[in-house]
Amino acid sequence: MASPFSRRALAAALAATALALAAACGGGGGDETPAGPPAAAAGGAVRLVVAGDSLADVGTFGLKATVQNASNPAAGYPVYPERVATQLGAGTLCNHFSSSDRLVYSTRAGCTDFAVGGAQILNPITHGGSALPLSLAFQLESALAANGGAWRAGDLILLDAGGNDAAALADAYLDARAGGTAEEAIYLALLGQQLDASTITQALAQPDGRAVAAGLYLQRLAQTWWSTVKANTLDRGATRVALLNLPDITLTPRFRGIVAGLASAEGSAAASAFQGALRQWIAGFNAELARLAAGEPRVALVPYFEDFTANVADPAAFGLTNATDASCPPAGDFPACTDAALDAAPPAGLAVGWWKTWYFSDEFHPSPRGHELIAATVLRALERAGWR
């Protein structure tokens, strides 16, 4: 899905970033490099502009959050916006932002993929807040500024967000539930990013108040996301905005493991209650987003939640042999999780190429096949909107 790269992955990625960026982006450094990206679609009929998190990031940190291509590491395997761009004839995407430390970012004029791995709708102040591309608002504001402050005919804006926010909320909720005063304070501070003190107090006074407050938080976050999108796209002349809703992250290997751990420690009832609560929070986010977008012909809501759930429920129907486990080994992270390494050590009973029909790469991100399925979901939504 859309979580930040793990600490191990980030450390390893930084060690190779200079070489990776030189190969993938024609060098880096400076506030902005004039080197142009690959040409846009012939005649400029469609220009795809992307903002989001690691699902849509095509190389901010020198790699993509999926299985790596050992024979062509610079290009890698296409993530879903790249597949959409290919199908629309929109040219080749390149990353607008580049960074080796998640603190200082250089930019490339003309690159229209503004997504950054680890980005959130509300990037915490401890991670730079709204002053870094880890903030979705910062990404959209940067995209708008790069386009001269207004959108033009032919632009298609593709957005995904919220997976990292939901995961961070779930983590803080579990920490507060199991921890002490410090953990509770962190949870309350997170809630305070969207909810006023009175709302938090009233929520916490109810049975299972922490869960109630979390649901209100994600619902309010959907409103914040919509306001951010509207201010930077629709209110600035955009006529085609494709907006992915939030998937059920409880179906990822990461949260399956968390649920299993709760079941082992506290019993199946506690585990089911947490999983059900997180699903309810996500459903609330999606319902609010749908309500806000209702009747807006310039917006196509992409049913990522519904299609991802279907993929996991019936893998074989979507050309999958596994939609439960991570392809990448537990001790490995994205720089080490190459197709060659996976083929060299297939799981017992499986042959070379086994990972090509698994949905997940690591515990939270899609494999190349997973990205292909997400792209198909997006393209169907564009067809329904009459934009393809």
Side-chain angles (χ1 to χ4, degrees):
M1 298 306 106
S3 76
F5 300 142
S6 71
R7 291 184 178 87
R8 289 197 313 275
L10 180 57
L14 296 184
T17 295
L19 291 176
L21 289 179
C25 300
D31 292 333
E32 184 157 352
T33 56
V46 176
R47 186 177 62 148
L48 186 63
V49 179
V50 181
D53 46 40
S54 53
L55 283 175
D57 186 344
V58 297
T60 300
F61 305 110
L63 75 168
K64 301 172 190 175
T66 190
V67 175
Q68 308 302 303
N69 186 336
S71 65
N72 192 352
Y77 288 103
V79 293
Y80 86 88
E82 294 176 296
R83 289 186 173 277
V84 171
T86 297
Q87 291 297 313
L88 296 179
T92 303
L93 293 176
C94 58
N95 48 292
H96 180 82
F97 296 109
S98 298
S99 177
S100 62
D101 59 7
R102 292 181 174 262
L103 297 173
V104 178
Y105 291 80
S106 61
T107 60
R108 290 187 65 204
C111 287
T112 62
D113 191 315
F114 293 79
V116 174
Q120 298 189 53
I121 296 170
L122 281 182
N123 187 46
I125 190 65
T126 52
H127 294 162
S130 60
L132 288 180
L134 292 169
S135 157
L136 265 297
F138 186 98
Q139 290 180 23
L140 285 174
E141 289 163 4
S142 298
L144 181 62
N147 200 50
W151 300 103
R152 63 193 187 212
D155 289 343
L156 172 60
I157 304 170
L158 178 59
L159 309 173
D160 75 69
N164 290 331
D165 299 86
L169 176 66
D171 289 342
Y173 167 83
L174 289 172
D175 288 345
R177 181 176 172 276
T181 303
E183 290 77 13
E184 183 73 12
I186 291 171
Y187 184 57
L188 293 176
L190 186 153
L191 295 176
Q193 294 180 118
Q194 288 288 269
L195 304 177
D196 60 56
S198 175
T199 299
I200 294 172
T201 298
Q202 292 175 24
L204 293 178
Q206 300 180 49
D208 201 7
R210 289 194 191 96
V212 172
L216 293 174
Y217 177 90
L218 270 193
Q219 185 178 44
R220 186 68 58 80
L221 187 68
Q223 297 169 7
T224 296
W225 178 223
W226 176 257
S227 296
T228 300
V229 171
K230 184 174 182 296
N232 290 285
T233 62
L234 303 179
D235 292 350
R236 295 303 186 101
T239 59
R240 298 187 299 176
V241 179
L243 194 58
L244 276 68
N245 66 8
L246 190 56
D248 182 358
I249 63 173
T250 74
L251 299 177
T252 64
R254 177 186 170 192
F255 277 93
R256 286 181 186 273
I258 290 172
V259 170
L262 277 174
S264 177
E266 301 181 26
S268 59
S272 294
F274 166 70
Q275 184 176 37
L278 181 48
R279 282 176 170 162
Q280 185 175 8
W281 307 341
I282 292 169
F285 177 98
N286 287 340
E288 184 64 8
L289 194 61
R291 183 187 72 82
L292 292 165
E296 176 50 78
R298 296 172 295 173
V299 173
L301 276 182
V302 179
Y304 184 19
F305 178 97
E306 294 79 1
D307 284 9
F308 171 60
T309 301
N311 296 158
V312 175
D314 189 6
F318 300 94
L320 297 165
T321 58
N322 187 309
T324 303
D325 304 307
S327 303
C328 300
D333 286 302
F334 288 124
C337 186
T338 67
D339 48 9
L342 296 178
D343 282 340
L350 299 183
V352 169
W354 59 274
W355 52 273
K356 295 179 181 179
T357 57
W358 285 37
Y359 189 94
F360 294 102
S361 55
D362 73 342
E363 293 186 338
F364 210 58
H365 297 89
S367 67
R369 174 58 180 161
H371 276 286
E372 187 176 4
L373 291 169
I374 299 171
T377 294
V378 173
L379 290 166
R380 285 192 294 271
L382 297 182
E383 288 175 353
R384 287 191 294 269
W387 298 347
R388 183 176 180 234

